[in-house]
């Protein structure tokens, strides 16, 4: 009987399962798989590979919570879009299923979706994404995800690297900007009025 091939993790906390051609999983099947394994964060690449990510460590979880707190507070006050946390999945145009650490979608795009569509992974790429590099993430792996978001329609993306205190800024049709030792970063003009305070992310109060 054919079996999925287990690959050595691409980073210490990741496991990659090559499913094709042994198994072809539909979007509905992948969504149900995620619902049945809520203790794991699952993603799927454009090639159909399943990426299994266990829960984060305490420090990374605290940093993620701070990002979400700041971002959601701004989005609610601004009203032009909706912010989500790392548990929210998106099916990108290239077929990948991704769950960025934070994301933002304009309300007019959400208004075009049915109630049933909103109950599952949204069928497009967010307008804005944030990825937080954990201590076990390979930089090249997270950078590839950021490039994928931009290639699939994101207008702006931030990759936050607490180890080096660098922010990698991704924009449509521009080279990647690297911001060194920043204490804050602005999302303007796309996210007018939003500035992420990085001090508690670089040095969380834990």
């Amino acid at each position: 009987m054919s079996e999925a091939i287990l690959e050595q993790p691409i980073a210490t906390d990741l496991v990659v399962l090559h499913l094709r051609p042994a198994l072809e999983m539909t979007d509905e099947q992948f969504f149900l798989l995620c619902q049945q394994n809520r203790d794991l964060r699952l993603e799927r690449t454009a090639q159909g590979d399943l990426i299994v990510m266990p829960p984060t460590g305490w420090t990374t979880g605290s940093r993620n919570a701070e990002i979400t707190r700041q971002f959601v507070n701004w989005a609610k006050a601004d009203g032009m879009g909706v912010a989500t946390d790392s548990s929210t999945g998106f099916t990108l145009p290239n077929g990948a299923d991704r769950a960025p650490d934070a994301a933002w979608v304009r309300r007019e795009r959400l208004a075009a979706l049915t109630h049933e569509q909103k109950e599952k992974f949204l069928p497009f790429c967010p307008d804005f994404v944030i990825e937080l590099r954990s201590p076990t993430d390979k930089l090249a792996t997270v950078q590839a995800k950021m490039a994928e978001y931009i290639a699939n329609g994101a207008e702006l993306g931030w990759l936050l690297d607490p180890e080096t205190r660098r922010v990698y800024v991704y924009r449509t049709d521009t080279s990647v900007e690297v911001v060194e030792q920043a204490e804050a970063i602005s999302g303007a003009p796309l996210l007018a009025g939003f500035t992420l305070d990085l001090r508690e992310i670089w040095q969380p109060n834990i």
Side-chain angles (χ1 to χ4, degrees), residues 79-99:
M80 296 298 292
V82 177
T84 58
D85 66 7
S86 60
S87 63
T88 306
F90 296 85
T91 300
L92 308 187
N94 70 350
D97 292 284
R98 297 295 189 182

Side-chain angles (χ1 to χ4, degrees), residues 135-146:
T136 51
D137 287 337
K138 285 188 176 180
L139 180 60
T141 300
V142 192
Q143 288 175 324
K145 286 178 66 175
M146 297 301 299

Side-chain angles (χ1 to χ4, degrees), residues 7-177:
E7 181 184 63
Q8 288 297 320
I10 56 178
T12 306
D13 62 342
L14 301 182
V15 173
V16 178
L17 290 170
H18 299 305
L19 301 184
R20 296 174 180 170
L23 176 65
E24 193 71 35
M25 188 179 298
T26 67
D27 290 346
E28 179 69 19
Q29 288 171 330
F30 178 70
F31 178 78
L32 291 174
L33 179 68
C34 293
Q35 305 314 298
Q36 292 172 347
N37 295 274
R38 292 181 176 273
D39 289 340
L40 298 175
R41 182 177 167 193
L42 302 178
E43 291 186 334
R44 184 170 55 163
T45 71
Q47 294 73 38
D49 294 342
L50 186 66
I51 302 175
V52 184
M53 295 169 284
T56 65
W58 172 261
T59 301
T60 297
S62 177
R63 286 171 169 148
N64 267 325
E66 176 61 21
I67 292 169
T68 301
R69 182 192 69 80
Q70 292 187 41
F71 196 33
V72 169
N73 286 347
W74 167 82
K76 284 185 174 293
D78 176 75
M80 296 298 292
V82 177
T84 58
D85 66 7
S86 60
S87 63
T88 306
F90 296 85
T91 300
L92 308 187
N94 70 350
D97 292 284
R98 297 295 189 182
D101 289 316
W104 181 85
V105 177
R106 289 185 175 90
R107 286 193 178 275
E108 58 262 31
R109 299 182 72 194
L110 295 171
L113 301 177
T114 65
H115 173 76
E116 289 73 19
Q117 286 176 307
K118 293 177 184 177
E119 290 297 314
K120 299 182 179 180
F121 300 153
L122 295 193
F124 51 60
C125 187
D127 297 295
F128 169 70
V129 297
I130 298 176
E131 287 285 357
L132 174 68
R133 184 188 179 197
S134 71
T136 51
D137 287 337
K138 285 188 176 180
L139 180 60
T141 300
V142 192
Q143 288 175 324
K145 286 178 66 175
M146 297 301 299
E148 182 181 52
Y149 291 133
I150 296 298
N152 280 271
E155 296 179 47
L156 178 65
W158 295 341
L159 167 54
L160 310 181
D161 188 352
E163 182 179 345
T164 61
R165 298 198 176 190
R166 287 176 181 159
V167 180
Y168 298 84
V169 181
Y170 290 75
R171 300 184 182 90
T172 306
D173 298 327
T174 63
S175 59
V176 179
E177 177 187 359

